[in-house]
Amino acid sequence: MIENTANIPPEFLEPYKPSTYEPEIRSRWIDSDYANPDTCEKAGVVDSSLPAFSMVLPPPNVTGSLHTGHALTCTIEDVMTRHVRMQGRRTLWLPGTDHAAIATQSKVEKIIEKEGLKKSEMGREAFLARVHEFATNSHDTIVSQVRAMGASVDWSREAYTLDDARSLAVRTAFKTMYDDGLIIRGYRVINWDAKGQTTISDDELVYEDRKGMLYTFRYSHEFPIPISTTRPETKIGDCAVAVHPSDERYKQYIGQTFKARFCDTDLEIRVIADIAVDPEFGTGALGVTPAHSIIDWQMSQTHNLPIIPVINEYAKICDDERYPEYLRGKKVLDAREMVVEWIREQGLMIEEKEVDQSVATAERTGAIIEPLPKLQWFIDVNKPFSMRHSNITGISTGDTVTLKDLMLAVVTTNQINFLPERFAESYTKWIENLRPWCISRQIWFGHRIPVWTRDGEEFCGVDAPTGDGWEQDPDSLDTWFSSGLWTFSTLGWPNTDAIDFKTFHPTSIIETGYDILPFWVARMILMSTYLLGEIPFKTVYLHGMVLTADGKKMSKSLGNAAKDPVELIETYGADALRMALIVANGPGQSIKLGEEKIKAYSKFSNKLWNITRFVLEQTSGEPLYSVDQISGSDIATWSEFKEIQNQINTEMNKYQYHLASEKLYHYIWHTYADTVIEDVKKRIQSNDTTAGSGKALLQNILITNIKLLHPFMPHITEYTWGLLPAEWKIDENKLLMVCKWPT
RNA sequence: GGACGGUUAGCUCAGUUGGUAGAGCAUCCCCUUGACGUGGGGAGGGUCAGAGGUUCGAAUCCUCUAUCGUCCACCA
């Protein structure tokens, strides 16, 4: 065996070192600015006859640092991006961050709490300054993490859901909806978080299974119908008893009104019939408390019942003189005890039974939710309006539609496709059950509602009204309002003449975790179809969750979040982490990420490194042998490789990266290295006449493999590419990330 | 209560138009001054959750059951 190390780059004499080479490669990419499609166009690496490709990075919340779930997002999206960029398409992958209103504010509240500070004492300005400082730090961490993954996003277009451009988009969107009558202010029973002192949406609720007591009793000895409840303390606000219309036991009382003195409070109870009542549950009769139950509130609307508040924003009994003094100001649980005691004393209690119940709690603060009637801003998804402009198939400009119609139409007509397809069904169901979307939040951090009032006058505008005495609504917007605009607020909207907007909208694909399908994906569809009359993206690719090694969902509250991706990158390399995340992990599938798998792919990096070294040793100083020089039995080997390459291309085009990456890995290691190289090695050593053909085979398969592997393992392939002799690269003596994709 | 997903080798999982069961890790054996010990070669290990059906043929399609999980709804 001839040792031919003199002519090969010295790096190859040692094992591949990701921690040394990866940062170097990343700075080469940044210097090149090839992630910016404008730069690619100037450099002439774009084929302008091909359609542009665009995608937004789901903006991570500025609530801290990224976890392995984000690493998965970065990996899949970077694979997509690098693949299409190498195909010569104008390619934009646009990064940014999300201010995440409630999540960020409550995080900072917890931090200042530890310092013995309170936001009410700090005041709005000082507190917000503190939140911005925190958000900025988080942002910087996130940016460095996204970079460390090797993500080829275009930083020159970076956006933030709360920056000036996005704020303008938010105010414009709000005003448009307001003018169309789709944003309305209403007194509704909403989910009130007494701890966070804010409204929260249905999506921010977490249900906890608990044991609770179900009490069955009568309001008074004279009252004919016994009722059951788990919340006796709210019963002092009852105004009706609802029964099923066909319930024989109570039919005779329907329509009658009874007076009762319940817990030293005067009640006037009407018996109403409503099909929402389950005759099998409890006594089959439901005490209606419109102010503190969403269902009851809905009944109060149909039956025109009074709304009597019992509980205030601090989860205490209202200080109202209709209630006895001993209850006023008492906490809910204390009041419950007292009311239960009163019922028992009066001999009105019929049964006390332990039941399973799931209690709604606030995702961020953990507080038990109090349904409360409050004045809030809503987007009415069921209200018909006239479509200003439409590029949506099946919906014409001027058509009368609802937001719900729009959200359903684009999916049922396949203008937007889901991957995996099954999610289209869950999307449709979710939309069909959609209620008015409560968009106001009683928090300081976020987009303030662009509505001003003065002496009963109301003004909604993109800018504040002129003149004195106007006061802006103190509430801010649900964070999903601004993220719903993300696919076009990042491209220059509301300026519809912006070049980016014209070039890159609708975006090609949205790629995100399936857990935010209803919150984010649905709202982007809402905003885009309504405001632009366009779909926001053609395909929705949903990946699964990255679970801990024991199969649990990672959560900060459980403290079981896996290692920081950056730590894994330092140990094994970003390329190894990317492969571990993408191989055999199909769309919609959750994966348990074990460190063993990452380690295995770091070995693969070294294998590829040594394969390259070997090929260089065998052919260094020699030119690139042409494919035409492959002859004899090597032709079959080359065909076999081309077949694998075709399969990989097919899978890549169908977003089946989990299959393509594994196929490539397997081919490189177990066919190319184990069989092809071993075979050619023997022929070279024995100076066989077919050695030249063998060398052509080795070189050409290597070069193509490096390209095919680039989207998955961009660092090592780029670095290796840089070390290959210039004469091997023909017309492509440039960065691999803009070389031509092999077909 | 509703919907969806999983159940394949000890572990983690591939297996997309139905055609003789695959990978990584782990285990065991052998090799190795060789491009690579972050290596190479090999072996053991599965009635593809269970039952039934369609088919010449089913891990794959259909029905049911079990079991684990996720989401949604309800919870007076």
Side-chain angles (χ1 to χ4, degrees):
Chain A
M1 183 62 210
I2 308 139
E3 279 287 348
N4 183 6
T5 55
N7 294 323
I8 68 162
E11 286 93 334
F12 284 114
L13 302 179
E14 285 183 36
Y16 180 69
K17 287 181 291 199
S19 56
T20 307
Y21 301 142
E22 288 189 348
E24 190 187 324
I25 281 300
R26 286 197 284 269
S27 59
R28 254 187 252 175
W29 288 330
I30 289 166
D31 293 344
S32 77
D33 197 36
Y34 281 141
N36 183 339
D38 305 332
T39 304
C40 286
E41 208 156 5
K42 274 180 213 143
V45 293
V46 162
D47 179 349
S48 49
S49 68
L50 296 171
F53 174 91
S54 57
M55 171 171 64
V56 290
L57 175 75
N61 292 350
V62 287
T63 49
S65 55
L66 302 187
H67 51 69
T68 39
H70 295 105
L72 177 61
T73 304
C74 288
T75 302
I76 297 172
E77 295 181 13
D78 195 44
V79 171
M80 290 176 178
T81 305
R82 288 181 185 274
H83 178 222
V84 294
R85 187 186 293 119
M86 288 176 79
Q87 288 176 324
R89 294 170 66 179
R90 256 178 314 173
T91 302
L92 173 62
W93 181 21
L94 196 151
T97 47
D98 190 335
H99 71 290
I102 289 183
T104 310
Q105 166 154 340
S106 69
K107 192 120 191 184
V108 175
E109 275 176 52
K110 276 176 195 152
I111 293 170
I112 62 168
E113 203 175 307
K114 279 186 191 150
E115 298 169 8
L117 294 167
K118 272 188 182 163
K119 102 180 162 211
S120 52
E121 290 162 8
M122 290 173 80
R124 189 163 188 151
E125 293 304 310
F127 178 74
L128 281 179
R130 200 53 206 273
V131 178
H132 285 302
E133 183 197 333
F134 176 82
T136 305
N137 287 336
S138 297
H139 163 269
D140 295 349
T141 307
I142 289 165
V143 168
S144 72
Q145 287 178 301
V146 172
R147 281 181 198 271
M149 287 302 296
S152 58
V153 293
D154 179 6
W155 292 108
S156 74
R157 287 173 163 88
E158 188 188 350
Y160 176 45
T161 55
L162 199 56
D163 63 19
D164 289 345
R166 264 46 64 178
S167 295
L168 175 66
V170 163
R171 295 196 307 273
T172 307
F174 189 100
K175 181 172 167 47
T176 310
M177 294 182 130
Y178 180 94
D179 290 347
D180 271 345
L182 296 176
I183 288 185
I184 47 164
R185 204 170 193 204
Y187 199 58
R188 303 277 170 90
V189 171
I190 44 74
N191 307 305
W192 181 259
D193 173 359
K195 207 168 170 185
Q197 285 293 300
T198 181
T199 315
I200 61 173
S201 70
D202 294 346
D203 315 317
E204 291 161 316
L205 299 181
V206 176
Y207 287 92
E208 280 180 24
D209 289 325
R210 293 189 188 173
K211 293 282 182 199
M213 294 301 293
L214 182 69
Y215 302 95
T216 302
F217 60 92
R218 291 173 198 271
Y219 294 112
S220 69
H221 288 287
E222 296 75 32
F223 199 84
I225 306 172
I227 58 161
S228 297
T229 184
T230 53
R231 300 207 55 190
E233 74 280 8
T234 64
K235 298 289 106 181
I236 55 177
D238 281 13
C239 57
V241 163
V243 297
H244 196 273
S246 57
D247 194 323
E248 292 300 331
R249 293 169 294 180
Y250 309 124
K251 228 172 175 172
Q252 51 179 309
Y253 302 114
I254 293 171
Q256 294 183 38
T257 300
F258 297 88
K259 285 190 191 299
R261 178 87 181 155
F262 175 70
C263 210
D264 302 307
T265 306
D266 287 318
L267 301 183
E268 200 173 295
I269 305 288
R270 205 165 98 204
V271 180
I272 59 169
D274 198 298
I275 50 161
V277 180
D278 175 7
E280 303 296 318
F281 190 94
T283 63
L286 156 68
V288 182
T289 322
H292 301 290
S293 151
I294 289 171
I295 289 277
D296 295 10
W297 185 83
Q298 282 164 353
M299 287 188 192
S300 78
Q301 297 299 294
T302 21
H303 298 276
N304 198 19
L305 300 169
I307 291 150
I308 308 165
V310 178
I311 294 159
N312 65 20
E313 289 144 33
Y314 305 99
K316 289 175 179 169
I317 303 294
C318 293
D319 191 14
D320 186 320
E321 49 192 45
R322 56 182 287 122
Y323 307 127
E325 250 176 78
Y326 61 84
L327 283 178
R328 291 186 221 164
K330 288 287 183 303
K331 286 183 195 162
V332 162
L333 290 181
D334 296 338
R336 183 175 305 169
E337 277 309 304
M338 296 167 87
V339 173
V340 166
E341 198 45 47
W342 183 89
I343 298 169
R344 287 181 190 139
E345 275 172 8
Q346 301 293 314
L348 294 166
M349 189 69 81
I350 296 164
E351 192 184 23
E352 298 181 39
K353 173 169 95 168
E354 195 179 63
V355 289
D356 293 317
Q357 57 178 168
S358 63
V359 179
T361 62
E363 185 182 17
R364 298 296 169 187
T365 65
I368 294 180
I369 293 302
E370 277 300 337
L372 284 185
K374 286 200 77 87
L375 203 52
Q376 300 289 338
W377 293 97
F378 294 87
I379 292 180
D380 191 341
V381 292
N382 292 310
K383 185 168 179 181
F385 64 95
S386 172
M387 196 71 182
R388 266 196 200 82
H389 169 71
S390 176
N391 286 337
I392 302 164
T393 312
I395 290 175
S396 311
T397 305
D399 278 4
T400 299
V401 289
T402 66
L403 293 172
K404 221 183 230 188
D405 293 338
L406 292 177
M407 294 166 89
L408 286 172
V410 290
V411 172
T412 51
T413 57
N414 291 318
Q415 290 170 75
I416 296 178
N417 293 297
F418 284 82
L419 203 73
E421 286 174 15
R422 61 186 153 89
F423 285 108
E425 203 183 327
S426 33
Y427 170 88
T428 309
K429 278 193 178 141
W430 192 82
I431 300 301
E432 281 166 354
N433 294 323
L434 203 58
R435 296 189 300 182
W437 170 17
C438 178
I439 51 170
S440 46
R441 297 289 183 275
Q442 290 66 50
I443 56 171
W444 289 342
F445 185 54
H447 293 280
R448 201 153 163 188
I449 288 181
V451 173
W452 288 261
T453 48
R454 178 175 72 178
D455 306 327
E457 248 185 297
E458 189 171 280
F459 174 86
C460 174
V462 172
D463 298 305
T466 49
D468 294 330
W470 288 101
E471 204 148 315
Q472 188 173 6
D473 192 294
D475 288 359
S476 59
L477 283 169
D478 180 9
T479 190
W480 296 106
F481 191 98
S482 56
S483 29
L485 309 173
W486 193 242
T487 53
F488 51 95
S489 68
T490 52
L491 296 176
W493 192 86
N495 175 14
T496 48
D497 290 327
I499 291 171
D500 275 359
F501 182 74
K502 284 179 156 173
T503 311
F504 294 114
H505 198 275
T507 62
S508 311
I509 192 167
I510 190 78
E511 195 286 332
T512 191
Y514 65 67
D515 54 334
I516 55 173
L517 167 66
F519 316 120
W520 192 41
V521 176
R523 272 149 195 168
M524 285 189 286
I525 294 174
L526 183 157
M527 291 296 191
S528 183
T529 51
Y530 167 70
L531 291 163
L532 310 177
E534 263 183 22
I535 53 169
F537 29 69
K538 297 169 192 120
T539 302
V540 180
Y541 181 114
L542 294 162
H543 64 247
M545 302 293 104
V546 182
L547 306 173
T548 59
D550 57 349
K552 296 270 162 52
K553 193 170 172 174
M554 280 188 294
S555 107
K556 292 253 165 66
S557 59
L558 291 172
N560 64 353
K563 275 189 187 170
D564 183 330
V566 169
E567 211 175 305
L568 294 167
I569 288 168
E570 275 162 14
T571 313
Y572 304 105
D575 288 346
L577 176 60
R578 293 165 63 113
M579 283 295 275
L581 285 166
I582 211 154
V583 174
N585 179 24
Q589 209 55 46
S590 292
I591 63 159
K592 289 174 212 169
L593 181 67
E595 227 168 296
E596 284 304 316
K597 192 173 176 188
I598 308 171
K599 199 175 167 186
Y601 289 105
S602 71
K603 286 191 192 177
F604 178 59
S605 300
N606 198 56
K607 186 71 182 178
L608 182 70
W609 190 245
N610 279 295
I611 286 169
T612 311
R613 171 187 170 170
F614 178 77
V615 175
L616 281 173
E617 279 178 11
Q618 297 309 312
T619 59
S620 90
E622 300 178 42
L624 179 69
Y625 289 86
S626 137
V627 175
D628 301 336
Q629 285 169 276
I630 297 171
S631 60
S633 63
D634 288 338
I635 291 174
T637 309
W638 177 249
S639 308
E640 186 196 359
F641 169 65
K642 293 305 279 184
E643 175 52 31
I644 294 283
Q645 187 194 314
N646 283 338
Q647 289 171 16
I648 288 169
N649 269 316
T650 305
E651 286 162 353
M652 298 282 291
N653 291 334
K654 292 199 285 187
Y655 306 111
Q656 294 173 327
Y657 306 118
H658 63 300
L659 300 180
S661 54
E662 188 171 32
K663 190 159 282 164
L664 198 47
Y665 165 85
H666 202 252
Y667 178 81
I668 290 174
W669 200 318
H670 298 295
T671 302
Y672 182 55
D674 289 358
T675 311
V676 180
I677 289 184
E678 288 301 321
D679 175 59
V680 174
K681 182 160 66 177
K682 284 189 200 113
R683 281 149 51 190
I684 292 174
Q685 282 167 12
S686 62
N687 285 316
D688 191 280
T689 51
T690 63
S693 164
K695 286 179 182 178
L697 200 59
L698 291 192
Q699 289 174 327
N700 285 288
I701 295 179
L702 176 71
I703 286 172
T704 311
N705 272 334
I706 286 174
K707 289 181 178 176
L708 291 173
L709 195 57
H710 180 71
F712 302 103
M713 304 185 85
H715 301 87
I716 189 171
T717 50
E718 186 75 78
Y719 199 79
T720 305
W721 182 255
L723 294 174
L724 294 180
E727 61 271 24
W728 286 23
K729 296 182 224 168
I730 320 170
D731 297 330
E732 298 195 292
N733 202 2
K734 56 193 172 201
L735 285 183
L736 180 61
M737 74 181 280
V738 289
C739 282
K740 207 153 177 53
W741 182 257
T743 50

